[in-house]
Amino acid sequence: MSALDYDATGLGIEYEAEPTILSLPQKSNALSTKVSSILSTSFADADIREALHTLDERGTQNTPETRRHLRLDAQKEVIERNGDIIKDFGHVAEQLKRIGSTIDSLNRCCEDLRQHVATAHRETGPVLEEATSLFARKQETETRKQLLDAFIEHFILSDDDLESLISPDTPVNDKFFANLPRLKMAHKDCQVLLGSENQQLGLDLMDKSSRDLNTAFQKLYRWIQKEFRNLNLENPQMNASIRRSLRVLAERPTMFQSCLDFFAESRERNLSDSFYAALTGTSSNREAEDLTTKPIEYNAHEPLRFVGDLLAWTHSATVSERESLEILFISEGDEIAKGIRAGIESEPWLPENAESFDGRKSLEQLVNRDLAGVARALRQRIEQVIQSDEDPVLAYQIANLIDFYRVTFDRLLGANSSILLTLSTLQESALRQYRTTMQEHINTVATHVSKISPDLNVPDFLSEALDRLKALMKSYDSSLASRDAGFMPILAESLNPYLDMCEKMASKAEEPSQTIFAVNCFLTAKSCLTQFDFTSERVSDIDETIDEHTSKLVEYQHAFFLHMSGVHPLLAALASLSENEEDLKSISSLEPLQKQALIDASQILDDFLPSALMDAMENLRLLKNSRMAEDVTAEAANLFCEDFQFVERKLTDADALYARGNHEKDDDSEGLEKSSLRALFPRTSGEIRVLLS
């Protein structure tokens, strides 16, 4: 039974009866108070619950005996525990006494040691002070030595290193380029020394380093010029060393530009000699002929091939030169630009734009200068070829060939190159020669223009002109020129004058020979032009002109049908009449519609119709395009049928009018005439269309 099962008599405490000396009412009040106190106790209180759990853990039995002695047992146990604690604290007190005596002993020992230390400190103090002073002086001396060594190493080069920079006997090698930055850095840092109290050292060092730097750059400048004299652009190792040298020399813009000028002059001479050697097979100093390649002059008898070989060699040399110079300059373009910007500080007298370095632009300018001699020789040779030949086709072919290379050089070197200006001038010269020779030929032909041939064939001068034009168009078609518009001026100069002369010749002939001859000429010209798509605009113009002349042929054939068929007098008489009755009544009185006239007209028509188409085609037998002759004749026949239908309708309307009319007098002859208009002229438009189809 747990302590929570105790009854309400009070937490395991059983109360005995009080002494009888108290009255009964007082006992009752005391008991009631006690009971009330016990009953008011809350078992939710933590202390009460902890006390009850403690009783459970002690294993106390809930008996009357136990409840009576519970308080005494608890007090007894408390007293025993307190006694044990007091006993333990007694042992602790004894230990503390022993510790206290030990601490006193230690204090006495420490005091003795403190006195000994104070005595030793007084005796060694002067020695320590002297040693500290000596150590500080040693540290200061070592620091000064380190500073001096660093100063000497930074500002002063060794004799061996300085000799590699300024001695003309030592080569420009890796050691030179390794020591030059050290010297430049020392010269730059001398400015720091000028800010110290003793400026003389800085001035002396700056003066010496400036002289050494100038000497080193002069040495580098002379070495680069020497290498440029015998530069092999195909040697990668040589190119690498010169690239590094140019990058360093760029810090002296004046020297750098002078080297570029020297290089340009040297390359101009070399390329001019190479051009002369390729042209003649020998160099300019008359060395032995080089038989490994065929000289370009061997093809001088073929002007177009000769000019093409000259331009091809120039283009090849330009490409090689540009590629080689790209390796020299473009690969180091940024470094060269940095060097030039740095060199402005050392050369303040340079112009303001000297600090801007465009690698690509400088490359194009350098290649342009290298090719200046070749451009002059090229211009002289090609101008000789242009002026020595009077063939306009050859002049135009040369102009197209030059234009092809002009476009190529424009992409390669830019629009401002001298070689491009030379090619533009040569192209203009070739075109001028073409126009001159073409005009001379036209003038010659114009003075010998004769009559058209009996067969109405195209004249010989037009055939020759079309042959030349075809050669011109083939040349233009293979060029890089823009389509259509670019060839129109040439086409006008090469064709229009001859067509004008053909029309002038045709104007002196009679129809239809005049028109047939003109159409034959234009058809021949059209057949030549239609082979190329860039002549479409001119072909359209020729088609319009042919259509105009074809209309004239249709009119001629139409007139032929009208006159040869005998219908023309009838049509002429009836054309001015309207559809009113007065006009229709007057038809029978017209002279061409009298009896005999109608009989004769009908007979003429009957005689004409069987061979009408053959006779009409015979008129156009000399027209070169038989299909066009058929179309013209068919169109003229259709017009004739329409005219005949008009005449037929007029005659029919007149007969109908007279048939319906009520006349007061019946004239037999007049009635016969009225009833015979169609009888005298019986052919119908349907029959005419069938016979002429």
Side-chain angles (χ1 to χ4, degrees), residues 570 592-603 677 680-681:
L570 302 179
L593 279 87
Q594 300 303 311
K595 179 178 179 179
Q596 189 59 42
L598 280 176
I599 293 174
D600 293 340
S602 178
Q603 185 61 43
L677 288 178
L680 296 175
F681 199 78

Side-chain angles (χ1 to χ4, degrees), residues 8-9 15 18 24-40:
T9 57
Y15 295 96
E18 294 295 333
L24 183 58
Q26 292 177 343
K27 290 180 179 180
S28 299
N29 292 336
L31 181 58
S32 299
T33 303
K34 190 65 174 179
V35 171
S36 300
S37 175
I38 292 173
L39 293 176
S40 63

Side-chain angles (χ1 to χ4, degrees), residues 474-494:
K474 287 182 179 179
S475 176
Y476 180 80
D477 190 49
S478 62
S479 68
L480 298 178
S482 59
R483 302 291 90 179
D484 296 338
F487 190 71
M488 293 307 295
I490 301 298
L491 182 59
E493 296 168 356
S494 304

